[in-house]
Amino acid sequence: QHDGPHEINAETRLILFSADRDASGLIEDALVEQTAESLNAAGILYVADISGMPGMVTKLIALPQMRKRPYPMLLGREKEDTAMLPRERGQVTLIEAEAGTITALRFVDDPQLLAQVLGTLYN
């Protein structure tokens, strides 16, 4: 969201991916108290596919709001940027990893379950 590169590395334990507005809302609610430091310490990355958003909305409304968030977001601005990531409509994709290897893949649409998963990584 700050026009800089970011990488997914061996320290990444969980990727939260949203491909639509419903999933984004679930993630935003779950991360409301988080910062770049807390997410980094827990090994959590947030990736959002914004390729379907109209350009003017992205530029004038969405990006300014995203830049105010205290945590980093990796943005897929073109469809190809996130095409390889699995998705289910209205659900957050959770990609769990250990030392750079994917260990689990889940789809979550329950805010309590998402908070529970995140809570285990913060501790």
Side-chain angles (χ1 to χ4, degrees):
Q1 85 253 43
H2 297 290
D3 296 320
H6 200 86
E7 76 178 33
I8 298 170
N9 57 38
E11 308 299 311
T12 303
R13 296 173 54 202
L14 178 68
I15 298 169
L16 303 169
F17 173 61
S18 65
D20 58 45
R21 185 68 200 131
D22 291 339
S24 293
L26 287 169
I27 293 173
E28 290 164 20
D29 289 347
L31 298 182
V32 72
E33 300 292 324
Q34 301 307 314
T35 64
E37 292 78 21
S38 65
L39 292 183
N40 189 43
I44 299 170
L45 288 178
Y46 174 17
V47 179
D49 179 351
I50 62 167
S51 64
M53 194 179 294
M56 288 297 259
V57 172
T58 300
K59 184 177 180 177
L60 298 176
I61 299 170
L63 280 176
Q65 289 177 352
M66 290 176 192
R67 288 183 176 129
K68 292 178 185 175
R69 294 196 180 128
Y71 52 82
M73 296 175 65
L74 285 69
L75 303 177
R77 295 181 190 212
E78 302 296 326
K79 197 170 226 154
E80 300 79 32
D81 295 341
T82 61
M84 78 298 284
L85 296 172
R87 64 196 74 211
E88 291 288 332
R89 185 161 188 76
Q91 298 189 49
V92 175
T93 304
L94 301 177
I95 303 171
E96 298 174 49
E98 196 171 304
T101 301
I102 295 174
T103 58
L105 174 69
R106 297 192 266 175
F107 300 101
V108 175
D109 62 359
D110 179 348
Q112 292 174 327
L113 179 57
L114 181 56
Q116 180 183 13
V117 169
L118 293 174
T120 62
L121 293 174
Y122 295 130
N123 298 324

